[in-house]
Amino acid sequence: MGIEALSLRMLCDAKRGGAEFANTVTLGRQHLSLSRAELEEALRSTGRSWDRTRRDALPVFADEVLVDLLGVEKLTSIDGSAYEGATVVHDMNCPVPEVHWDAYDAVIDAGTLEHVFNFPVAIASCMNMLRVGGRFFALTPANNHCGHGFYQFSPELFFRVFSAANGFELEHLLAIEHPFPGIELSRRRTVYSVRDPARVGDRVGLVNDRPVYLFVQAVKRAPVEPFTPFPQQSDYARAWTKPGALPETPSGLASALWRIHRALPFVLRKPILGFFQRWRRDSFRNTRSYRRWDGKGPPPRA
């Protein structure tokens, strides 16, 4: 994968919103996963044009585009191997050397972290590499990418990682549903802004039939050592504050429907509850958890 149309737009929007990219580090060499038309559209949005006319003249890697569109002055790439010409060879399963701490305005990951087995160490390194005011950007798989890497990530993970307790604020978390396994191959996409499960007061789940990627944008607000203490899933953290308490009872119409449901034979209750979970609660139809973004104007904040 690499830098594709939506992630490039979000990076450009962040730049226009005041994000700094002068000293940027990417996880791996970022491939340029754009058609010439998509690249020219992105350039036009910033008042630039691409001076090459042949499709096969587009660069393989996104370095030149990132420098041109984002004003990158120094671009560093970190990879576990030198096979694609990374400037720093380092296995992200291990903490990055302290020489890289507080050194970068932006950390960009477009398809690496899901392939790193020791994810907590890798994401903590990304957080440590940023200076205060710097931003982390990622495009990473969520649903229906089984086998692509070691992991598919839940929105809850990024809300708990990029929290005030770790010195961060999560600015945007988008769920991008697309038809083909490769998001860069998918021109038709549906984009949703995802709400924090802690604010929703429930798990933000998703069971769907198409692949979904997450776009993550977070800003470092304070120099805090990550994961002291470790994050906890929000619904459990909330339950633990009331040890021994029973689940909350629905009220109003929900209470009446719940009583009717409980009165049904068990053989009917299961499929009804399953249907509700599949088609309403754990679905993009759940407007408490997901807000569709039509692409006009900035996306809703997380």
Side-chain angles (χ1 to χ4, degrees):
M1 208 184 55
I3 301 298
E4 47 72 61
L6 181 63
S7 55
L8 182 59
R9 174 183 171 172
M10 294 298 294
L11 290 168
C12 291
D13 284 352
K15 172 67 175 177
R16 285 191 290 270
E20 294 289 340
F21 291 91
N23 197 352
T24 291
V25 61
T26 64
L27 304 188
R29 296 289 304 280
Q30 298 298 298
H31 285 248
L32 187 65
S33 299
L34 291 166
S35 68
R36 185 160 58 89
E38 289 173 327
L39 177 57
E40 289 174 345
E41 181 180 351
L43 288 164
R44 282 196 301 271
S45 72
T46 59
R48 295 174 174 84
S49 61
W50 190 252
D51 61 1
R52 302 177 185 181
T53 57
R54 295 171 53 206
R55 183 179 297 273
D56 59 3
L58 293 178
V60 173
F61 296 109
D63 301 24
E64 184 178 346
V65 172
L66 295 178
V67 168
D68 189 35
L69 288 180
L70 304 180
V72 177
E73 297 173 7
K74 181 181 180 183
L75 184 63
T76 302
S77 54
I78 297 179
D79 205 339
S81 168
Y83 83 113
E84 286 188 324
T87 53
V88 175
V89 176
H90 173 78
D91 184 353
M92 291 296 289
N93 285 292
C94 304
V96 295
E98 291 190 20
V99 67
H100 294 286
W101 289 21
D102 305 311
Y104 299 100
D105 299 302
V107 173
I108 300 175
D109 168 39
T112 294
L113 286 175
E114 68 269 24
H115 302 287
V116 179
F117 180 79
N118 200 348
F119 173 81
V121 165
I123 196 67
S125 288
C126 293
M127 298 160 81
N128 284 327
M129 286 192 290
L130 285 169
R131 64 170 182 81
V132 173
R135 283 173 168 82
F136 172 85
F137 302 91
L139 187 70
T140 194
N143 279 23
N144 299 320
H145 286 281
C146 184
H148 172 78
F150 283 122
Y151 304 108
Q152 302 176 80
F153 296 115
S154 164
E156 173 98 40
L157 174 69
F158 293 107
F159 277 108
R160 303 287 74 81
V161 165
F162 294 112
S163 66
N166 294 316
F168 276 80
E169 177 189 353
L170 189 57
E171 296 180 303
H172 296 295
L173 183 56
L174 304 180
I176 307 118
E177 189 177 45
H178 50 97
F180 305 129
I183 188 173
E184 72 279 5
L185 307 176
S186 305
R187 292 279 295 179
R188 296 181 61 187
R189 304 165 182 178
T190 309
V191 183
Y192 299 86
S193 177
V194 187
R195 292 191 66 207
D196 184 350
R199 294 173 58 192
V200 173
D202 196 3
R203 293 181 180 178
V204 173
L206 181 64
V207 178
N208 71 320
D209 300 322
R210 288 187 170 190
V212 175
Y213 259 79
L214 299 178
F215 177 86
V216 184
Q217 177 180 323
V219 59
K220 188 171 185 177
R221 296 296 190 195
V224 177
E225 182 181 352
F227 312 145
T228 53
F230 290 113
Q232 301 289 348
Q233 192 169 321
S234 60
D235 61 326
Y236 286 120
R238 184 173 60 255
W240 295 338
T241 63
K242 304 174 184 177
L246 294 174
E248 294 182 7
T249 303
S251 60
L253 177 60
S255 176
L257 292 174
W258 182 250
R259 287 197 301 271
I260 294 171
H261 177 261
R262 295 295 296 173
L264 293 172
F266 186 69
V267 70
L268 295 178
R269 274 189 273 154
K270 290 197 296 183
I272 289 173
L273 183 57
F275 183 85
F276 170 78
Q277 291 177 345
R278 176 68 173 85
W279 295 103
R280 183 63 186 175
R281 191 192 70 179
D282 295 343
S283 163
F284 283 131
R285 299 178 186 88
N286 185 349
T287 55
R288 293 179 62 219
S289 301
Y290 302 102
R291 289 172 290 177
R292 186 167 177 173
W293 178 45
D294 61 7
K296 299 175 182 177
R301 291 182 67 86

